Amino acid sequence: YRSGTPIFKNFSLDIRVGELTAITGRSGSGKSTLFELAAGLLKPTGGEILAHGSPVLALQLSESALFEEFAADDAAFGPQNRGLSGERLRHRVQEAMNICGLPFEDFADRRIHTLSGGEKRKLALAGIIALESEVYLFDEPTAGLDPKSRLQVMNTLAALAESGKAVVFSTHRLDEAAFADRRIDIERAKKEGCGGEKDSAQKNGLQTVEETDTSLLDSLRRTSSGLYEKASSPLHKLPPPAKILLFLSLF
């Protein structure tokens, strides 16, 4: 980053299948960076990241990315774009929504704008779970939720881990971290390490996590951070009344 100081150096970490793992640490300690590296959204300058399949990541406030009209359609967007269709797609979406506490029969045809904040968060998680990965990463999945909704989300993550997946989430709350099977303080891990030998990982059939196309993510980052780049074309230099008249004439 700007300071030139490495976020991770001589860092090693193992995530275990079938466990719910909590990553804790202060803001700026590298939790989100760790998740984006693990999901292939950032490319490490050194070392390797190995996993079974392709890890999927739910970003902070993931419900802000909901855009379909109906709940089931939004949950289906990811797997549909991976080529899933027909009855297999319906079953995948149904299973994911049920795991997240949104019974398919009750919520499939619900319009998204009618859902509560907690229901939208659960729907966003369902869209991630429907991608059917071996490794799930959730960056502060309970941020901004009330206590009841936070508990529902934590139960969802625990159920996912119990189904045999590797599930990792970050949190600032120690009570949520205590909910996990394993807690890793990222700042301590950067100093002491948490296991992870390259040779043993490769023997277990792990593969290198490939870097993915991040153009869409970059555009979302620019939008969410409020980045505004002032343009200087003749059109942009027009005064507001002239822009309005031009728009109306074109319309």
Side-chain angles (χ1 to χ4, degrees), residues 69-92:
E69 183 178 3
F70 297 101
D73 290 338
D74 208 283
F77 180 80
Q80 194 171 30
N81 277 272
R82 286 189 171 185
L84 206 64
S85 61
E87 189 58 33
R88 289 181 59 203
L89 176 62
R90 177 185 172 85
H91 177 74
R92 179 83 62 82

Side-chain angles (χ1 to χ4, degrees), residues 163-185:
S163 71
K165 308 296 183 181
V167 183
V168 192
F169 70 98
S170 64
T171 181
H172 291 290
R173 297 177 175 273
L174 294 182
D175 59 331
E176 291 180 0
F179 197 92
D181 300 310
R182 182 185 183 205
R183 175 194 168 194
I184 297 173
D185 182 280

Side-chain angles (χ1 to χ4, degrees), residues 59-65 121 139-140 143-144:
L59 298 170
Q60 293 181 32
L61 303 178
S62 53
E63 71 275 14
S64 61
R121 180 70 59 87
D139 194 2
E140 297 191 28

Side-chain angles (χ1 to χ4, degrees), residues 213-236:
D213 180 14
T214 61
S215 57
L216 178 58
L217 179 64
D218 292 337
S219 66
L220 291 173
R221 281 199 185 107
R222 288 194 293 271
T223 303
S224 62
S225 63
L227 179 63
Y228 176 73
E229 297 178 1
K230 189 174 182 179
S232 58
S233 69
L235 179 61
H236 287 88

Side-chain angles (χ1 to χ4, degrees), residues 10-66:
N10 299 324
F11 177 76
S12 180
L13 176 66
D14 268 344
I15 298 300
R16 301 166 185 166
V17 172
E19 283 190 351
L20 179 61
T21 303
I23 304 290
T24 61
R26 59 182 174 82
S27 296
S29 59
K31 300 189 298 297
S32 295
T33 300
L34 175 64
F35 281 6
E36 291 186 20
L37 284 166
L41 300 178
L42 291 177
K43 185 177 182 180
T45 55
E48 281 190 301
I49 300 169
L50 303 165
H52 285 292
S54 301
V56 294
L57 169 61
L59 298 170
Q60 293 181 32
L61 303 178
S62 53
E63 71 275 14
S64 61
L66 301 176

